[in-house]
């Protein structure tokens, strides 16, 4: 039976690449996005208008997919955005906006899919987090925080769903070359010319953007997601590409003081 997958944030970047790769592997993919369009029309990929911040719309989209296909086998929670700036001076609404789509949007999507997965007795939930969930970078504290929260949510959920046939996996990309770099928003504090962090931020942002633009193609992440969907038992946590995986393994054993000193040297 053809596998049916919902991908959020599916109009561009990692989401669009994932939709293409899964469709090329023979899956039927519904690519959800606020625009409801695709960068490149792809056979087997159906664009749907989906704002993950709207719980009712998300539930309606999931119900419609099941009505059309008779089943939904997996969801890839990829929709997200990024803000940049110092923690000092960040407005509450700016911090909340970072959590709204990245965390609560994923939560609403997962909650919309779980009843159907439970009825079926199977389902796959993949959350696209970031290596910044385990490597906290300066001036991206809220992005790191929300990705860490999403990682914890996924791993807690995997325990709650043990024995149900529903599996969870978090994929933690490193630097990826997508439109995310240009779409990153600088918060009010980051745009303040009198900020005491001005010089430090300029150096930091220049390095981050250079790393991202020279980063891996989004298809690398897409193929890592496909690999997990094809496995009998998904891994709970996946860091694509061997160099990032090695760093991820290293920081698990480094003392926190040493890890933060290394990050300070690289990004401050």
């Amino acid at each position: 039976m053809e596998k049916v997958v919902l991908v959020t944030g599916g109009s561009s970047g990692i989401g669009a690449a994932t939709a293409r790769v899964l469709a090329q592997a023979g899956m039927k993919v519904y690519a959800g996005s606020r625009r409801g369009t695709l960068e490149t029309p792809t056979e087997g990929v159906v664009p749907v208008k989906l704002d993950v911040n709207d719980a009712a719309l998300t539930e309606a989209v999931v119900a419609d997919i099941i009505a059309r296909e008779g089943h939904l086998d997996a969801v890839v929670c990829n929709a997200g955005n990024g803000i940049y700036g110092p923690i000092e001076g960040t407005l509450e609404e700016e911090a909340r906006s970072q959590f709204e789509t990245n965390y609560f949007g994923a939560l609403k999507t997962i909650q919309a899919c779980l009843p159907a997965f439970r009825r079926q007795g199977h389902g796959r939930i993949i959350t696209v987090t970031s290596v910044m969930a385990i490597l906290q970078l300066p001036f991206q504290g809220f992005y790191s925080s929300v990705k860490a929260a999403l990682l914890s949510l996924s791993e807690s959920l995997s325990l709650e769903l043990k024995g149900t046939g529903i599996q969870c996996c978090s994929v933690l990309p490193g630097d990826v070359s997508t439109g995310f770099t240009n779409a990153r928003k600088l918060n009010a504090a980051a745009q303040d010319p009198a900020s005491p962090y001005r010089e430090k931020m300029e150096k930091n942002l220049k390095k981050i953007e250079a790393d991202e633009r020279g980063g891996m193609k989004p298809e690398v992440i897409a193929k890592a997601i496909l690999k997990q969907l094809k496995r009998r038992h998904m891994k709970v946590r996946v860091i694509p590409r061997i160099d990032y995986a090695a760093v991820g393994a290293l920081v698990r054993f480094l003392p926190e003081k040493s890890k933060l000193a290394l990050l300070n040297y690289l990004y401050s």
Side-chain angles (χ1 to χ4, degrees), residues 84-90 94 186-193 195 198 201:
Y84 180 91
I87 293 171
E88 181 182 358
T90 295
E94 291 174 328
L186 273 63
N187 65 17
Q191 298 179 59
D192 180 3
S195 171
R198 170 60 52 193
M201 280 190 297

Side-chain angles (χ1 to χ4, degrees), residues 63-106:
D64 183 60
I65 293 171
I66 294 170
R68 291 188 191 187
E69 307 293 341
H71 59 102
L72 176 63
D73 300 288
V75 61
V76 179
C77 297
N78 169 73
N81 53 36
I83 63 169
Y84 180 91
I87 293 171
E88 181 182 358
T90 295
L91 303 175
E92 181 178 338
E93 57 264 33
E94 291 174 328
R96 288 183 180 277
S97 72
Q98 183 72 113
F99 277 80
E100 192 61 44
T101 299
N102 292 274
Y103 181 82
F104 288 106

Side-chain angles (χ1 to χ4, degrees), residues 180-223:
F180 184 88
T181 303
N182 291 334
R184 180 187 287 110
K185 295 180 180 178
L186 273 63
N187 65 17
Q191 298 179 59
D192 180 3
S195 171
Y197 302 98
R198 170 60 52 193
E199 185 177 343
K200 202 172 186 179
M201 280 190 297
E202 288 177 355
K203 178 182 176 183
N204 173 265
L205 187 57
K206 184 177 180 180
K207 175 168 178 51
I208 287 172
E209 291 183 343
D211 287 347
E212 289 174 347
R213 292 194 173 101
M216 67 186 98
K217 293 182 178 180
E219 285 76 13
V220 174
I221 311 304
K223 289 175 182 177

Side-chain angles (χ1 to χ4, degrees), residues 87 98-99 103 132-133 136 140-152:
I87 293 171
Q98 183 72 113
F99 277 80
Y103 181 82
M132 280 201 283
Q136 299 76 23
Q140 296 198 81
F142 295 103
Y143 188 77
S144 287
S145 296
V146 74
K147 291 300 187 179
L150 186 57
L151 175 62
S152 293

Side-chain angles (χ1 to χ4, degrees), residues 10 14 40 107 131 146 152 154 161 183 203 212 229 248:
I14 291 173
T40 306
L107 175 61
V131 291
V146 74
S152 293
S154 175
L161 295 173
K203 178 182 176 183
E212 289 174 347
L229 289 177

